Amino acid sequence: MPPVIRFEGVQKKFGDHTVLSGLNFDVAPGERVTLIGPSGSGKTTILRLVMTLEELTDGYIWIDGKPLTHDRRDGKRIRLREKQVAATRKQIGMVFQHFNLFPNMSVIDNVTEAQVHVLGRGKEEARDRGLALLDQVGLKDRAEEHPSRLSGGQKQRVAIARALAMDPKILLLDEVTSALDPELVGDVLAVLRDVADTTDISMLIVTHEMQFARDVSHKVMMFDGGQIVEQGAPTDILANPTHERTRKFLDSIL
Amino acid sequence: MTENLEALRDALPRLGEGVSITLQLTLGGALVAFLVSVVFGLLSISPAAPLRWLSTIVVEFFRGTSLVVQLFWLYYVMPLFGVSMDAVLTGVIALGLNYGAYGAEVVRGSINAVDKGQWEGATALNMSRVTRMRRIIWPQAWVLMLSGYNNLLVMLIKGTAVALFIGLQDLGYQIDELRIDTTTIFAYSIGLLLYYLIALVFSFGLRVLEKRARRRLGLPAGSAHASAGAAL
């Protein structure tokens, strides 16, 4: 089976500033990988590249063995058409630090909108699935409300339900608890633990919640300056880091 | 003063006709301006560069040249090329193009003001460009647009007075006629008042729309410039 995500020689520059260069790594099907490292080390950029929110400067990203935005043909690197990109992107979902719920619709419509308009599901089917997911994240009774009436933690749980409604193979979690008040973090992480336990969705996770990272991820990759400093099982990396930079980083956040 | 009031009473039917012409220019002009603003506002953010250039050229042309001269072109020059139109229609088109060009900037600015996270949230759900605009971005930009449109509409109402230049007997013209039978200060005061009342009615209507739109987004009724979707 091909890796569900493969980074091959990925480079990303913002103007003159190089964030990632020559980055290679694989994520196996069903694998949950947590990216850690100081801010500016390129973790979030990696997630945004997979979601096609940023354009690759060079290199390739393969999803399930298929090119995401750029393909290699006869040794040349070519940009794929939007339609082809969309066909691959269908398998990827993302939850953002700032939720990004749509304020022009109710909670349930947030969860059904793309099911209907992207996946072409019937309204009834989308609603049933939406309610089931809202139930799973503990917010079924808030379905008809406006998102602005929810707390941050509740908004984030809706955002998780919204992403799951698209049946993604890959879920990207970008600092999903960083914008929350401390007392709301637990509920969101509990929902994600549940998703990790009950599905085989592959995940790329950027978080500062080390206990969560240890519990749900199969692998931890430590980044600094756009490079992988070290990687391995969470118990090894988080408890016994071999690199000075990893140790310093872990000390700084604990 | 009684003479003034008697003259005003006698002039009421003519003033009514003037108001009718002014309202036709306002409603027609606003409708054309709205369509022009949406089309060129959307073109200005198109991923295809030639469409963006087209929008820039058209918007700059109609914003940058005088409304009166545009009106003269439509009314006096176009017939030389075999295109002649009724004066009201000419006024509607000139006002529509001119204010539509300003409106295109309102549309572009409002769309760009929608929080970046909303675009990204829609992309992460794999929405197509059209779905993203139609279902997510436009409904949020609409709230911001309404306050810009409100300004433009009030300006357009007052701008309809240029119809005088192509011989239309609009409210401005009738006020000028009224002056023959009343004092100058009385006639022009009535003029100010009538334009103000018309503007007030339209402006109130748009503000009601804006309030409703804000409520739908769960925003407070106040400040129009809070960026939509920022905290969601």
Side-chain angles (χ1 to χ4, degrees):
Chain A
M1 238 191 312
V4 71
I5 303 173
R6 164 164 284 176
F7 271 52
E8 182 189 334
V10 165
Q11 186 191 45
K12 178 60 189 174
K13 287 186 184 182
F14 293 103
D16 289 339
H17 179 58
T18 303
V19 179
L20 304 170
S21 66
L23 181 63
N24 300 297
F25 70 86
D26 286 357
V27 176
E31 194 176 29
R32 296 187 289 271
V33 180
T34 297
L35 314 180
I36 61 168
S39 67
S41 59
K43 302 163 304 200
T44 288
T45 303
I46 289 170
L47 265 54
R48 294 175 58 82
L49 284 168
V50 175
M51 198 64 258
T52 72
L53 300 174
E54 305 287 353
E55 183 80 11
L56 274 178
T57 308
D58 198 7
Y60 304 87
I61 298 173
W62 310 92
I63 301 295
D64 246 352
K66 294 195 199 71
L68 177 62
T69 54
H70 292 79
D71 196 5
R72 185 166 33 216
R73 283 185 205 154
D74 308 325
K76 273 196 203 130
R77 185 171 173 273
I78 57 156
R79 177 76 163 91
L80 297 178
R81 289 166 199 279
E82 191 52 34
K83 252 200 180 131
Q84 296 167 288
V85 175
T88 313
R89 187 171 53 202
K90 212 162 53 179
Q91 306 175 69
I92 310 168
M94 184 161 180
V95 182
F96 299 86
Q97 183 177 358
H98 295 289
F99 333 128
N100 301 350
L101 293 186
F102 305 133
N104 55 315
M105 48 185 81
S106 66
V107 165
I108 183 68
D109 288 346
N110 263 276
V111 184
T112 56
E113 183 70 20
Q115 293 188 63
V116 173
H117 291 277
V118 177
L119 300 182
R121 284 184 189 151
K123 286 221 167 93
E124 282 295 307
E125 186 193 354
R127 192 179 160 82
D128 290 347
R129 177 100 169 93
L131 287 174
L133 283 163
L134 285 177
D135 196 25
Q136 192 184 333
V137 303
L139 291 168
K140 194 179 178 189
D141 54 331
R142 312 297 295 271
E144 304 303 334
E145 283 187 48
H146 190 274
S148 63
R149 297 179 52 85
L150 303 183
S151 72
Q154 291 169 332
K155 285 177 192 168
Q156 195 60 295
R157 279 143 65 194
V158 173
I160 292 166
R162 182 174 76 171
L164 291 175
M166 304 299 283
D167 296 326
K169 268 186 136 167
I170 300 167
L171 189 60
L172 309 168
L173 304 175
D174 185 16
E175 302 205 31
V176 297
T177 57
S178 300
L180 300 179
D181 291 334
E183 75 270 21
L184 302 176
V185 169
D187 285 347
V188 171
L189 293 184
V191 163
L192 290 172
R193 280 174 213 269
D194 179 48
V195 174
D197 288 345
T198 56
T199 69
D200 54 2
I201 300 174
S202 309
M203 296 188 193
L204 267 187
I205 304 163
V206 174
T207 185
H208 293 113
E209 297 287 335
M210 289 304 140
Q211 188 58 47
F212 173 70
R214 192 185 314 229
D215 294 348
V216 304
S217 43
H218 301 108
K219 185 159 94 181
V220 170
M221 297 201 291
M222 165 72 195
F223 278 83
D224 197 12
Q227 304 285 333
I228 299 171
V229 176
E230 62 178 316
Q231 54 181 314
T235 40
D236 295 340
I237 302 288
L238 299 178
N240 304 301
T242 51
H243 279 70
E244 182 57 28
R245 276 189 285 181
T246 313
R247 222 168 304 159
K248 265 195 184 148
F249 169 72
L250 290 173
D251 282 347
S252 73
I253 61 163
L254 290 177
Chain B
M1 195 62 193
T2 17
E3 291 138 39
N4 279 341
L5 289 174
E6 272 169 23
L8 176 63
R9 196 190 56 207
D10 293 342
L12 276 181
R14 283 185 288 124
L15 281 176
E17 283 164 33
V19 168
S20 161
I21 298 282
T22 294
L23 286 181
Q24 286 174 43
L25 290 168
T26 299
L27 289 170
L31 182 67
V32 174
F34 176 67
L35 296 176
V36 167
S37 69
V38 171
V39 169
F40 288 98
L42 288 176
L43 286 182
S44 74
I45 55 159
S46 157
L51 293 179
R52 288 199 304 272
W53 300 333
L54 173 74
S55 168
T56 306
I57 291 167
V58 171
V59 168
E60 283 305 314
F61 178 80
F62 285 104
R63 273 202 321 177
T65 58
S66 154
L67 173 57
V68 176
V69 179
Q70 288 166 22
L71 200 62
F72 285 162
W73 262 85
L74 285 172
Y75 201 61
Y76 298 117
V77 180
M78 292 311 276
L80 304 179
F81 300 104
V83 183
S84 50
M85 286 175 297
D86 154 77
V88 172
L89 185 59
T90 306
V92 163
I93 290 174
L95 287 163
L97 289 172
N98 193 272
Y99 286 92
Y102 286 98
E105 292 292 288
V106 170
V107 170
R108 189 177 64 86
S110 302
I111 288 174
N112 285 338
V114 173
D115 185 61
K116 198 166 74 85
Q118 295 290 311
W119 299 76
E120 297 186 345
T123 303
L125 292 166
N126 208 26
M127 289 186 187
S128 68
R129 229 185 272 281
V130 174
T131 304
R132 183 176 62 187
M133 180 55 70
R134 198 169 62 88
R135 307 287 307 182
I136 307 300
I137 304 301
W138 183 271
Q140 297 181 54
W142 178 242
V143 178
L144 307 172
M145 268 177 239
L146 281 172
S147 67
Y149 275 142
N150 201 339
N151 266 328
L152 285 179
L153 183 60
V154 171
M155 282 167 65
L156 184 144
I157 290 166
K158 295 175 296 184
T160 56
V162 299
L164 208 61
F165 285 106
I166 54 170
L168 271 171
Q169 305 191 345
D170 71 335
L171 178 57
Y173 170 88
Q174 299 295 2
I175 290 296
D176 207 37
E177 289 289 292
L178 177 66
R179 188 173 54 101
I180 298 167
D181 302 318
T182 67
T183 58
T184 306
I185 190 167
F186 180 80
Y188 288 155
S189 300
I190 294 294
L192 288 179
L193 187 67
L194 288 178
Y195 274 107
Y196 178 70
L197 289 176
I198 294 173
L200 200 64
V201 168
F202 279 95
S203 184
F204 178 77
L206 276 198
R207 208 157 298 155
V208 168
L209 281 183
E210 192 186 334
K211 265 203 185 121
R212 274 183 37 194
R214 292 184 67 80
R215 215 171 25 235
R216 269 203 302 273
L217 293 194
L219 293 168
S223 136
H225 296 290
S227 122
L232 295 162

PDB file of all heavy atoms in Angstrom, chain B residues 168-189:
ATOM      1  N   LEU B 168     -34.336  66.628 -19.395  1.00  0.00           N
ATOM      2  CA  LEU B 168     -35.380  65.904 -18.679  1.00  0.00           C
ATOM      3  C   LEU B 168     -36.025  66.807 -17.638  1.00  0.00           C
ATOM      4  O   LEU B 168     -35.338  67.565 -16.955  1.00  0.00           O
ATOM      5  CB  LEU B 168     -34.778  64.670 -17.986  1.00  0.00           C
ATOM      6  CG  LEU B 168     -34.742  63.403 -18.813  1.00  0.00           C
ATOM      7  CD1 LEU B 168     -33.927  62.332 -18.093  1.00  0.00           C
ATOM      8  CD2 LEU B 168     -36.139  62.883 -19.103  1.00  0.00           C
ATOM      9  N   GLN B 169     -37.356  66.724 -17.535  1.00  0.00           N
ATOM     10  CA  GLN B 169     -38.034  67.587 -16.573  1.00  0.00           C
ATOM     11  C   GLN B 169     -38.189  66.871 -15.240  1.00  0.00           C
ATOM     12  O   GLN B 169     -39.279  66.508 -14.812  1.00  0.00           O
ATOM     13  CB  GLN B 169     -39.377  68.022 -17.154  1.00  0.00           C
ATOM     14  CG  GLN B 169     -39.156  68.667 -18.511  1.00  0.00           C
ATOM     15  CD  GLN B 169     -40.366  69.378 -19.061  1.00  0.00           C
ATOM     16  OE1 GLN B 169     -41.481  69.188 -18.581  1.00  0.00           O
ATOM     17  NE2 GLN B 169     -40.144  70.213 -20.066  1.00  0.00           N
ATOM     18  N   ASP B 170     -37.047  66.673 -14.595  1.00  0.00           N
ATOM     19  CA  ASP B 170     -37.032  65.945 -13.324  1.00  0.00           C
ATOM     20  C   ASP B 170     -37.309  66.904 -12.178  1.00  0.00           C
ATOM     21  O   ASP B 170     -37.664  68.066 -12.395  1.00  0.00           O
ATOM     22  CB  ASP B 170     -35.679  65.242 -13.133  1.00  0.00           C
ATOM     23  CG  ASP B 170     -34.568  66.238 -12.858  1.00  0.00           C
ATOM     24  OD1 ASP B 170     -34.706  67.409 -13.276  1.00  0.00           O
ATOM     25  OD2 ASP B 170     -33.577  65.855 -12.220  1.00  0.00           O
ATOM     26  N   LEU B 171     -37.150  66.423 -10.967  1.00  0.00           N
ATOM     27  CA  LEU B 171     -37.428  67.251  -9.794  1.00  0.00           C
ATOM     28  C   LEU B 171     -36.600  68.539  -9.812  1.00  0.00           C
ATOM     29  O   LEU B 171     -37.109  69.627  -9.518  1.00  0.00           O
ATOM     30  CB  LEU B 171     -37.145  66.440  -8.519  1.00  0.00           C
ATOM     31  CG  LEU B 171     -37.348  67.167  -7.191  1.00  0.00           C
ATOM     32  CD1 LEU B 171     -38.755  67.717  -7.062  1.00  0.00           C
ATOM     33  CD2 LEU B 171     -37.032  66.230  -6.022  1.00  0.00           C
ATOM     34  N   GLY B 172     -35.331  68.421 -10.174  1.00  0.00           N
ATOM     35  CA  GLY B 172     -34.458  69.593 -10.217  1.00  0.00           C
ATOM     36  C   GLY B 172     -35.002  70.652 -11.164  1.00  0.00           C
ATOM     37  O   GLY B 172     -35.022  71.849 -10.851  1.00  0.00           O
ATOM     38  N   TYR B 173     -35.459  70.192 -12.328  1.00  0.00           N
ATOM     39  CA  TYR B 173     -36.017  71.107 -13.331  1.00  0.00           C
ATOM     40  C   TYR B 173     -37.269  71.797 -12.802  1.00  0.00           C
ATOM     41  O   TYR B 173     -37.423  73.015 -12.911  1.00  0.00           O
ATOM     42  CB  TYR B 173     -36.340  70.317 -14.606  1.00  0.00           C
ATOM     43  CG  TYR B 173     -37.133  71.104 -15.633  1.00  0.00           C
ATOM     44  CD1 TYR B 173     -36.482  71.894 -16.581  1.00  0.00           C
ATOM     45  CD2 TYR B 173     -38.525  71.040 -15.650  1.00  0.00           C
ATOM     46  CE1 TYR B 173     -37.210  72.622 -17.526  1.00  0.00           C
ATOM     47  CE2 TYR B 173     -39.264  71.759 -16.583  1.00  0.00           C
ATOM     48  CZ  TYR B 173     -38.594  72.545 -17.523  1.00  0.00           C
ATOM     49  OH  TYR B 173     -39.320  73.254 -18.443  1.00  0.00           O
ATOM     50  N   GLN B 174     -38.172  71.037 -12.198  1.00  0.00           N
ATOM     51  CA  GLN B 174     -39.439  71.588 -11.709  1.00  0.00           C
ATOM     52  C   GLN B 174     -39.217  72.582 -10.577  1.00  0.00           C
ATOM     53  O   GLN B 174     -39.958  73.557 -10.438  1.00  0.00           O
ATOM     54  CB  GLN B 174     -40.379  70.463 -11.250  1.00  0.00           C
ATOM     55  CG  GLN B 174     -40.755  69.467 -12.346  1.00  0.00           C
ATOM     56  CD  GLN B 174     -41.585  70.073 -13.471  1.00  0.00           C
ATOM     57  OE1 GLN B 174     -41.871  71.272 -13.492  1.00  0.00           O
ATOM     58  NE2 GLN B 174     -41.948  69.243 -14.450  1.00  0.00           N
ATOM     59  N   ILE B 175     -38.202  72.329  -9.767  1.00  0.00           N
ATOM     60  CA  ILE B 175     -37.871  73.262  -8.686  1.00  0.00           C
ATOM     61  C   ILE B 175     -37.432  74.600  -9.295  1.00  0.00           C
ATOM     62  O   ILE B 175     -37.812  75.680  -8.837  1.00  0.00           O
ATOM     63  CB  ILE B 175     -36.749  72.669  -7.802  1.00  0.00           C
ATOM     64  CG1 ILE B 175     -37.273  71.484  -6.997  1.00  0.00           C
ATOM     65  CG2 ILE B 175     -36.177  73.735  -6.879  1.00  0.00           C
ATOM     66  CD1 ILE B 175     -38.344  71.831  -5.988  1.00  0.00           C
ATOM     67  N   ASP B 176     -36.635  74.496 -10.348  1.00  0.00           N
ATOM     68  CA  ASP B 176     -36.160  75.695 -11.024  1.00  0.00           C
ATOM     69  C   ASP B 176     -37.337  76.465 -11.629  1.00  0.00           C
ATOM     70  O   ASP B 176     -37.360  77.692 -11.620  1.00  0.00           O
ATOM     71  CB  ASP B 176     -35.154  75.296 -12.109  1.00  0.00           C
ATOM     72  CG  ASP B 176     -34.164  76.417 -12.371  1.00  0.00           C
ATOM     73  OD1 ASP B 176     -33.776  77.090 -11.386  1.00  0.00           O
ATOM     74  OD2 ASP B 176     -33.814  76.632 -13.549  1.00  0.00           O
ATOM     75  N   GLU B 177     -38.313  75.716 -12.127  1.00  0.00           N
ATOM     76  CA  GLU B 177     -39.519  76.345 -12.678  1.00  0.00           C
ATOM     77  C   GLU B 177     -40.336  77.024 -11.579  1.00  0.00           C
ATOM     78  O   GLU B 177     -40.883  78.105 -11.775  1.00  0.00           O
ATOM     79  CB  GLU B 177     -40.403  75.282 -13.358  1.00  0.00           C
ATOM     80  CG  GLU B 177     -39.820  74.740 -14.647  1.00  0.00           C
ATOM     81  CD  GLU B 177     -39.860  75.769 -15.770  1.00  0.00           C
ATOM     82  OE1 GLU B 177     -40.975  76.107 -16.219  1.00  0.00           O
ATOM     83  OE2 GLU B 177     -38.774  76.239 -16.172  1.00  0.00           O
ATOM     84  N   LEU B 178     -40.389  76.350 -10.425  1.00  0.00           N
ATOM     85  CA  LEU B 178     -41.160  76.868  -9.301  1.00  0.00           C
ATOM     86  C   LEU B 178     -40.664  78.263  -8.907  1.00  0.00           C
ATOM     87  O   LEU B 178     -41.428  79.136  -8.512  1.00  0.00           O
ATOM     88  CB  LEU B 178     -41.043  75.908  -8.107  1.00  0.00           C
ATOM     89  CG  LEU B 178     -41.734  76.297  -6.795  1.00  0.00           C
ATOM     90  CD1 LEU B 178     -43.247  76.319  -6.962  1.00  0.00           C
ATOM     91  CD2 LEU B 178     -41.356  75.334  -5.676  1.00  0.00           C
ATOM     92  N   ARG B 179     -39.381  78.474  -9.089  1.00  0.00           N
ATOM     93  CA  ARG B 179     -38.725  79.725  -8.691  1.00  0.00           C
ATOM     94  C   ARG B 179     -39.338  80.937  -9.409  1.00  0.00           C
ATOM     95  O   ARG B 179     -39.315  82.054  -8.893  1.00  0.00           O
ATOM     96  CB  ARG B 179     -37.234  79.600  -9.009  1.00  0.00           C
ATOM     97  CG  ARG B 179     -36.379  80.707  -8.493  1.00  0.00           C
ATOM     98  CD  ARG B 179     -34.920  80.347  -8.745  1.00  0.00           C
ATOM     99  NE  ARG B 179     -34.701  80.037 -10.171  1.00  0.00           N
ATOM    100  CZ  ARG B 179     -34.160  80.900 -11.029  1.00  0.00           C
ATOM    101  NH1 ARG B 179     -33.815  82.095 -10.646  1.00  0.00           N
ATOM    102  NH2 ARG B 179     -33.984  80.553 -12.289  1.00  0.00           N
ATOM    103  N   ILE B 180     -39.899  80.701 -10.609  1.00  0.00           N
ATOM    104  CA  ILE B 180     -40.491  81.806 -11.365  1.00  0.00           C
ATOM    105  C   ILE B 180     -41.649  82.434 -10.588  1.00  0.00           C
ATOM    106  O   ILE B 180     -41.833  83.636 -10.594  1.00  0.00           O
ATOM    107  CB  ILE B 180     -40.990  81.298 -12.746  1.00  0.00           C
ATOM    108  CG1 ILE B 180     -39.800  80.775 -13.551  1.00  0.00           C
ATOM    109  CG2 ILE B 180     -41.739  82.403 -13.499  1.00  0.00           C
ATOM    110  CD1 ILE B 180     -40.180  79.971 -14.767  1.00  0.00           C
ATOM    111  N   ASP B 181     -42.414  81.561  -9.884  1.00  0.00           N
ATOM    112  CA  ASP B 181     -43.605  82.060  -9.179  1.00  0.00           C
ATOM    113  C   ASP B 181     -43.383  82.282  -7.693  1.00  0.00           C
ATOM    114  O   ASP B 181     -44.282  82.736  -6.988  1.00  0.00           O
ATOM    115  CB  ASP B 181     -44.764  81.057  -9.343  1.00  0.00           C
ATOM    116  CG  ASP B 181     -45.081  80.818 -10.806  1.00  0.00           C
ATOM    117  OD1 ASP B 181     -45.093  81.810 -11.558  1.00  0.00           O
ATOM    118  OD2 ASP B 181     -45.283  79.641 -11.188  1.00  0.00           O
ATOM    119  N   THR B 182     -42.251  81.912  -7.159  1.00  0.00           N
ATOM    120  CA  THR B 182     -41.999  82.103  -5.723  1.00  0.00           C
ATOM    121  C   THR B 182     -40.667  82.817  -5.550  1.00  0.00           C
ATOM    122  O   THR B 182     -39.973  83.080  -6.534  1.00  0.00           O
ATOM    123  CB  THR B 182     -41.897  80.758  -4.984  1.00  0.00           C
ATOM    124  OG1 THR B 182     -40.713  80.081  -5.426  1.00  0.00           O
ATOM    125  CG2 THR B 182     -43.112  79.884  -5.217  1.00  0.00           C
ATOM    126  N   THR B 183     -40.316  83.064  -4.280  1.00  0.00           N
ATOM    127  CA  THR B 183     -38.988  83.627  -4.058  1.00  0.00           C
ATOM    128  C   THR B 183     -37.949  82.538  -4.305  1.00  0.00           C
ATOM    129  O   THR B 183     -38.236  81.339  -4.172  1.00  0.00           O
ATOM    130  CB  THR B 183     -38.832  84.119  -2.605  1.00  0.00           C
ATOM    131  OG1 THR B 183     -39.069  83.019  -1.740  1.00  0.00           O
ATOM    132  CG2 THR B 183     -39.821  85.241  -2.317  1.00  0.00           C
ATOM    133  N   THR B 184     -36.743  82.955  -4.642  1.00  0.00           N
ATOM    134  CA  THR B 184     -35.669  82.010  -4.928  1.00  0.00           C
ATOM    135  C   THR B 184     -35.398  81.131  -3.714  1.00  0.00           C
ATOM    136  O   THR B 184     -35.280  79.913  -3.820  1.00  0.00           O
ATOM    137  CB  THR B 184     -34.386  82.773  -5.285  1.00  0.00           C
ATOM    138  OG1 THR B 184     -34.706  83.664  -6.340  1.00  0.00           O
ATOM    139  CG2 THR B 184     -33.288  81.840  -5.704  1.00  0.00           C
ATOM    140  N   ILE B 185     -35.327  81.774  -2.571  1.00  0.00           N
ATOM    141  CA  ILE B 185     -34.982  81.028  -1.358  1.00  0.00           C
ATOM    142  C   ILE B 185     -36.042  79.979  -1.037  1.00  0.00           C
ATOM    143  O   ILE B 185     -35.723  78.844  -0.639  1.00  0.00           O
ATOM    144  CB  ILE B 185     -34.749  81.988  -0.166  1.00  0.00           C
ATOM    145  CG1 ILE B 185     -34.158  81.226   1.023  1.00  0.00           C
ATOM    146  CG2 ILE B 185     -36.026  82.697   0.254  1.00  0.00           C
ATOM    147  CD1 ILE B 185     -33.624  82.147   2.095  1.00  0.00           C
ATOM    148  N   PHE B 186     -37.298  80.301  -1.286  1.00  0.00           N
ATOM    149  CA  PHE B 186     -38.377  79.355  -1.013  1.00  0.00           C
ATOM    150  C   PHE B 186     -38.282  78.143  -1.954  1.00  0.00           C
ATOM    151  O   PHE B 186     -38.295  76.980  -1.502  1.00  0.00           O
ATOM    152  CB  PHE B 186     -39.736  80.047  -1.186  1.00  0.00           C
ATOM    153  CG  PHE B 186     -40.909  79.133  -0.927  1.00  0.00           C
ATOM    154  CD1 PHE B 186     -41.309  78.861   0.373  1.00  0.00           C
ATOM    155  CD2 PHE B 186     -41.608  78.531  -1.983  1.00  0.00           C
ATOM    156  CE1 PHE B 186     -42.389  78.018   0.625  1.00  0.00           C
ATOM    157  CE2 PHE B 186     -42.672  77.676  -1.734  1.00  0.00           C
ATOM    158  CZ  PHE B 186     -43.064  77.430  -0.421  1.00  0.00           C
ATOM    159  N   ALA B 187     -38.153  78.412  -3.256  1.00  0.00           N
ATOM    160  CA  ALA B 187     -38.132  77.321  -4.237  1.00  0.00           C
ATOM    161  C   ALA B 187     -36.977  76.359  -3.964  1.00  0.00           C
ATOM    162  O   ALA B 187     -37.156  75.128  -3.913  1.00  0.00           O
ATOM    163  CB  ALA B 187     -38.018  77.885  -5.646  1.00  0.00           C
ATOM    164  N   TYR B 188     -35.792  76.908  -3.753  1.00  0.00           N
ATOM    165  CA  TYR B 188     -34.639  76.025  -3.575  1.00  0.00           C
ATOM    166  C   TYR B 188     -34.665  75.323  -2.215  1.00  0.00           C
ATOM    167  O   TYR B 188     -34.126  74.225  -2.066  1.00  0.00           O
ATOM    168  CB  TYR B 188     -33.335  76.799  -3.787  1.00  0.00           C
ATOM    169  CG  TYR B 188     -33.100  77.141  -5.251  1.00  0.00           C
ATOM    170  CD1 TYR B 188     -32.307  78.221  -5.625  1.00  0.00           C
ATOM    171  CD2 TYR B 188     -33.664  76.374  -6.264  1.00  0.00           C
ATOM    172  CE1 TYR B 188     -32.089  78.527  -6.957  1.00  0.00           C
ATOM    173  CE2 TYR B 188     -33.459  76.677  -7.599  1.00  0.00           C
ATOM    174  CZ  TYR B 188     -32.677  77.753  -7.946  1.00  0.00           C
ATOM    175  OH  TYR B 188     -32.462  78.061  -9.261  1.00  0.00           O
ATOM    176  N   SER B 189     -35.313  75.948  -1.234  1.00  0.00           N
ATOM    177  CA  SER B 189     -35.464  75.252   0.058  1.00  0.00           C
ATOM    178  C   SER B 189     -36.377  74.043  -0.111  1.00  0.00           C
ATOM    179  O   SER B 189     -36.096  72.961   0.421  1.00  0.00           O
ATOM    180  CB  SER B 189     -36.046  76.188   1.117  1.00  0.00           C
ATOM    181  OG  SER B 189     -35.184  77.292   1.300  1.00  0.00           O
TER     182      SER B 189
END
